[in-house]
């Protein structure tokens, strides 16, 4: 039997973090939805996303059009990444602009995780306890509390990138960007489906979409003393941001390597583009100008064109996800009402 057409009981969509580079991810998703004519989430049994990928995953789980999410970031990048003074004492950006956009009624408004129409998994870190945190819909009977959490708070928690944005505090807990543990959340999503949704890896397909990968590497001509000037390439304030970039890029590479081994290339599809030396100078986690938009949107258009004609992708879109079952909250009540 052909490996691309054998039985599949579970399909995962995993969306990576990457700050404003998530505009690339959103545009690829928008082109997919434009082609298939309905929400892409209907083809996946589990959505997972980290940081900007987490915001996108939450939107897709609520069946917000991906084109709306493209507009949100394309038109309001300067609002999201609005610089403030005193970089030594505060994060480079305030999260107020992003929070205001997400709280608008045509985005998340007052929705909670219980309002999601599809199972979703969003990683973050509790800086209060030092532990990883996985925000989840109630797709397992033991998940009894997260369904009450506002989507805006979950989104701000997973995207609180150290030194870029302040830690996000709610429920008496300070949260930090989930990219520090799972910038590419495919592996934790695979574990989620195996352990909590009882689908073996041999019957799972997974598609991950990146944010235009870039490698953080050493300048061999500089000093190698390992101090703040070295890590910050001459600017101590940049040290933490460069370490964060190195951590998430290496994390992504490791995740993609392991997923290819776990699922094989027949069951794992990775959608992304590498930044060239020239384009990397114009694109970064917090660059939102016209040059960055042009590169991100242009590359996404090209990638989507290739993707839509790819046989493996077409196989994944031929699969329709099972009707999700939620055990608690708004979604569970919706199911009970429908069956009454």
């Amino acid at each position: 039997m052909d490996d691309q057409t054998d039985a599949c009981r579970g399909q995962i969509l995993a969306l990576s973090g990457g700050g404003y580079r998530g505009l690339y991810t959103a545009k690829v998703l928008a082109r997919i939805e434009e082609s298939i004519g309905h929400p892409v989430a209907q083809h996946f049994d589990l959505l997972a996303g980290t940081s900007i990928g987490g915001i996108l995953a939450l939107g897709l789980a609520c069946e917000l059009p991906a084109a709306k999410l493209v507009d949100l970031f394309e038109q309001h990048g300067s609002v999201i990444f609005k610089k403030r003074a005193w970089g030594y004492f505060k994060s480079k950006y305030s999260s107020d602009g992003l929070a205001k956009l997400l709280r608008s009624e045509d985005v998340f408004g007052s929705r909670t995780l219980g309002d999601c129409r599809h199972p979703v998994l969003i990683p973050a870190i509790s800086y209060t306890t030092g532990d990883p945190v996985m925000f989840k819909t109630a797709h397992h009977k033991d998940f009894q509390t997260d369904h009450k959490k506002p989507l805006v708070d979950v989104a701000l928690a997973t995207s609180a990138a150290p030194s870029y944005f302040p830690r996000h505090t709610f429920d008496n807990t300070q949260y930090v960007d989930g990219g520090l543990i799972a910038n590419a959340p495919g592996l934790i999503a695979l574990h989620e489906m195996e352990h909590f949704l009882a689908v073996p890896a041999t019957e799972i397909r997974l598609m991950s979409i990146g944010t235009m990968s870039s490698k953080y590497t050493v300048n061999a001509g500089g000093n190698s003393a390992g101090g703040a000037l070295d890590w910050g390439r001459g600017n101590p304030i940049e040290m933490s941001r460069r370490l964060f970039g190195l951590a998430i890029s290496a994390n992504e590479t490791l995740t993609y390597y392991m997923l290819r081994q776990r699922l094989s290339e027949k069951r794992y599809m990775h959608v992304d583009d590498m930044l060239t030396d020239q384009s990397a100078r114009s694109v970064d986690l917090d660059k939102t100008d016209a040059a960055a938009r042009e590169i991100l949107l242009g590359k996404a258009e090209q990638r989507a064109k290739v993707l839509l004609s790819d046989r493996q992708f077409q196989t994944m879109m031929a699969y329709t996800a099972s009707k999700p079952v939620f055990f608690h909250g708004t979604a569970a009540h919706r199911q009970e009402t429908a069956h009454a």
Side-chain angles (χ1 to χ4, degrees), residues 70-91:
V70 171
D71 291 342
L72 178 71
F73 293 101
E74 184 178 4
Q75 297 175 16
H76 301 287
S78 60
V79 174
I80 296 170
F81 291 95
K82 186 175 181 179
K83 286 186 180 180
R84 60 180 179 180
W86 307 109
Y88 271 113
F89 305 103
K90 295 181 181 179
S91 60

Side-chain angles (χ1 to χ4, degrees), residues 20-33:
Y20 194 69
R21 298 198 316 246
L23 178 60
Y24 168 91
T25 315
K27 189 65 173 181
V28 170
L29 290 165
R31 283 291 177 250
I32 292 174
E33 291 193 340

Side-chain angles (χ1 to χ4, degrees), residues 98-155:
L98 177 58
K100 183 177 180 180
L101 291 171
L102 296 179
R103 287 195 179 101
S104 64
E105 287 305 315
D106 60 343
V107 185
F108 293 157
S110 59
R111 289 187 181 100
T112 66
L113 276 171
D115 293 309
C116 292
R117 295 182 173 275
H118 302 275
V120 67
L121 167 67
I122 308 293
I125 296 174
S126 167
Y127 194 43
T128 300
T129 65
D131 296 321
V133 174
M134 303 296 154
F135 295 108
K136 307 177 184 182
T137 46
H139 50 267
H140 188 277
K141 61 182 177 61
D142 291 344
F143 303 162
Q144 299 183 33
T145 60
D146 279 2
H147 66 88
K148 302 174 185 177
K149 299 189 185 302
L151 294 186
V152 172
D153 283 317
V154 174

